[in-house]
Amino acid sequence: MSEQIKRPVKITETILRDAHQSLIATRMTTEQMLPIIDIMDKVGYHSVECWGGATFDASLRFLKEDPWERLRKLRAGFKNTKLQMLFRGQNILGYRHYADDVVEYFVQKSIANGIDIIRIFDALNDLRNLECSVKAANKEKGHAQVAICYTLGDDYTTEYFVDLAKNIERMGADSICVKDMAGLLVPYKATELITALKSAVNIPIDLHSHYTSGVAGMTYMKAVEAGCDIIDTAMSPFAMGTSQPATEVMVETFKGTPYDTGLDQKLLAEIADYFRPQRDQALESGSLNPKVMGVNIKTLLYQVPGGMLSNLISQLKEQKAEDKYAEVLEEVPRVRKDFGEPPLVTPSSQIVGTQAVLNVLTGERYKMVTKESKAILSGEYGRTVKPFNPEVQKKVIGDKEPITCRPADLLKPELTTIEKEMEQWKEQDEDILSYALFPQVALDFFKYRKAQKEKIDLNLADTVNKAYPV
């Protein structure tokens, strides 16, 4: 390579969020994370993605942990590294749209508890659903990174993504992430897309992909050569498969080139050694299914993210209809087209996937319809790139007038009501938000938390960190 200006690529490490979300259904506990933080903090990562996404729900529901407490502990440990979270715009970390006051309060509390970078996305790429979160992050002096959900389809051209990026920059975003949740971005397309984005906007570009289709490592390489500033990677024990390319592999790939990360492989090896037994344990217990570790080329054919594939399999298992898997996979793109061809990412992937399963199992398309399918066709999730199939829309919502405004404009402020509802359980302001997002799950957790405290000698309690021995 001829003498070039040094342009080190930055690394966002996903081991504490997306990696374990993608491979072991978000089951890594805070206690499994804390012992290695000192070492991770020495690496020099651009950021560590450690919160948001499904971690919030999983902490409360399955791990009986307070997600806010996790964030505070991680913040205390990471003295030199920026902490990053994933945020679903107006959906926050839940599955419906919340009123602006809840969104603003959640952003405020996330930053106050230690988040530096908030990656905000909307499943439909409807920028109206991101305005409130971006403004709130700007107000709290946080870094607002807006993610563009990458997908394929007639309307998803390079021009479409460039227009989105320009609007995102105008909106006040500090950086842009190309969020390739299904591993659909192939290497030479990445060259074209990143080149176009870099010439259109003046804020950093981050690329986030999954290894599901087997191309993400090569895609990262072409993207970095084209000017991509940051790539998302996972430490090798929890890399590949439906997770991200391996951190150590990408660091070695760019070593000695103008894109050299400068990260120390010895430190990375120490971190990998720490996580390897956890991976082995996950394999033994069955929480890491070897099937998710292979290359699944169907993602390129059907544009179905890895997590969605496993959801479809489990839905069909429950119905004892595993033989219908191929049929359902073929139905997914048809439903997606009927629904205005949205990118398939939470929650649109679940909505389209479940509807495809119903269409196949009932033997008649849209004979049975979920309330989420009705909501999407009523415009309650926002605007899709293409119009809905009018016949399907009519069959599903009848004469109901679909909404065309920003869905949250129809929501009244919710915080005061929510706080009144859960007042007796409140131990910290953040509890209001846990309850706002997952009322029943949070309530069960609050009851568990109370029971745990009543069982112990409070003289032993570490009241400073609000940590109680169990």
Side-chain angles (χ1 to χ4, degrees), residues 21 34 123 144 172 189 196 246 265 298 304 331 412 426 429 467:
Q21 180 174 319
L34 295 178
K189 197 72 194 163
Q265 286 284 21
K298 286 198 170 106
V304 175
E331 177 64 3
K412 292 186 177 80
K426 182 182 157 186
D429 289 343

Side-chain angles (χ1 to χ4, degrees), residues 137-191:
N138 291 161
K139 186 183 169 199
E140 299 300 324
K141 307 279 185 286
H143 177 113
Q145 180 181 88
V146 174
I148 294 171
C149 296
Y150 181 81
T151 190
L152 305 174
D154 301 343
D155 285 33
Y156 295 101
T157 59
T158 299
E159 293 69 39
Y160 163 81
F161 291 117
V162 165
D163 281 347
L164 263 185
K166 285 177 177 169
N167 287 324
I168 286 166
E169 186 177 32
R170 278 195 284 271
M171 190 190 273
D174 298 292
S175 61
I176 288 172
C177 171
V178 176
K179 181 176 165 60
D180 177 21
M181 54 283 166
L184 300 175
L185 183 59
V186 292
Y188 288 100
K189 197 72 194 163
T191 303

Side-chain angles (χ1 to χ4, degrees), residues 266-337:
K266 286 201 180 93
L267 276 180
L268 295 176
E270 218 177 312
I271 299 165
D273 288 345
Y274 174 80
F275 283 110
R276 206 164 285 115
Q278 291 191 32
R279 176 204 163 100
D280 296 343
Q281 203 183 329
L283 273 167
E284 278 165 34
S285 69
S287 60
L288 174 54
N289 183 337
K291 277 183 185 167
V292 302
M293 297 310 297
V295 166
N296 194 331
I297 203 63
K298 286 198 170 106
T299 55
L300 289 175
L301 298 176
Y302 300 112
Q303 297 157 42
V304 175
M308 185 176 167
L309 283 173
S310 46
N311 266 352
L312 292 178
I313 292 167
S314 68
Q315 283 181 359
L316 291 170
K317 249 188 192 162
E318 273 171 34
Q319 301 297 322
K320 301 198 170 20
E322 287 161 276
D323 57 319
K324 304 276 195 224
Y325 182 55
E327 233 179 295
V328 169
L329 271 185
E330 281 166 21
E331 177 64 3
V332 165
R334 291 196 283 265
V335 173
R336 181 179 171 232
K337 220 174 178 67

Side-chain angles (χ1 to χ4, degrees), residues 95-298:
Y95 302 102
R96 68 169 176 92
H97 279 211
Y98 297 88
D100 287 347
D101 61 342
V102 182
V103 174
E104 286 157 6
Y105 196 44
F106 202 101
V107 169
Q108 184 195 326
K109 284 295 181 190
S110 302
I111 292 171
N113 280 281
I115 288 295
D116 299 289
I117 301 170
I118 301 190
R119 176 177 294 167
I120 307 161
F121 79 95
D122 176 67
L124 307 184
N125 284 334
D126 184 345
L127 299 188
R128 299 173 307 169
N129 294 333
L130 305 177
E131 286 163 8
C132 180
S133 332
V134 172
K135 274 185 194 142
N138 291 161
K139 186 183 169 199
E140 299 300 324
K141 307 279 185 286
H143 177 113
Q145 180 181 88
V146 174
I148 294 171
C149 296
Y150 181 81
T151 190
L152 305 174
D154 301 343
D155 285 33
Y156 295 101
T157 59
T158 299
E159 293 69 39
Y160 163 81
F161 291 117
V162 165
D163 281 347
L164 263 185
K166 285 177 177 169
N167 287 324
I168 286 166
E169 186 177 32
R170 278 195 284 271
M171 190 190 273
D174 298 292
S175 61
I176 288 172
C177 171
V178 176
K179 181 176 165 60
D180 177 21
M181 54 283 166
L184 300 175
L185 183 59
V186 292
Y188 288 100
K189 197 72 194 163
T191 303
E192 184 190 317
L193 178 62
I194 300 297
T195 305
L197 291 177
K198 287 301 287 182
S199 61
V201 296
N202 292 312
I203 51 178
I205 306 282
D206 186 329
L207 177 57
H208 172 93
S209 190
H210 289 252
Y211 218 91
T212 326
S213 62
V215 299
M218 294 181 280
T219 297
Y220 276 8
M221 192 174 177
K222 298 308 283 181
V224 168
E225 287 172 356
C228 182
D229 303 280
I230 310 152
I231 51 174
D232 287 16
T233 64
M235 289 305 303
S236 56
F238 284 90
M240 320 280 273
T242 50
S243 176
Q244 279 74 50
T247 305
E248 307 96 307
V249 174
M250 297 319 298
V251 166
E252 200 58 30
T253 298
F254 296 119
K255 202 173 170 183
T257 74
Y259 319 112
D260 196 327
T261 62
L263 303 194
D264 181 347
Q265 286 284 21
K266 286 201 180 93
L267 276 180
L268 295 176
E270 218 177 312
I271 299 165
D273 288 345
Y274 174 80
F275 283 110
R276 206 164 285 115
Q278 291 191 32
R279 176 204 163 100
D280 296 343
Q281 203 183 329
L283 273 167
E284 278 165 34
S285 69
S287 60
L288 174 54
N289 183 337
K291 277 183 185 167
V292 302
M293 297 310 297
V295 166
N296 194 331
I297 203 63
K298 286 198 170 106

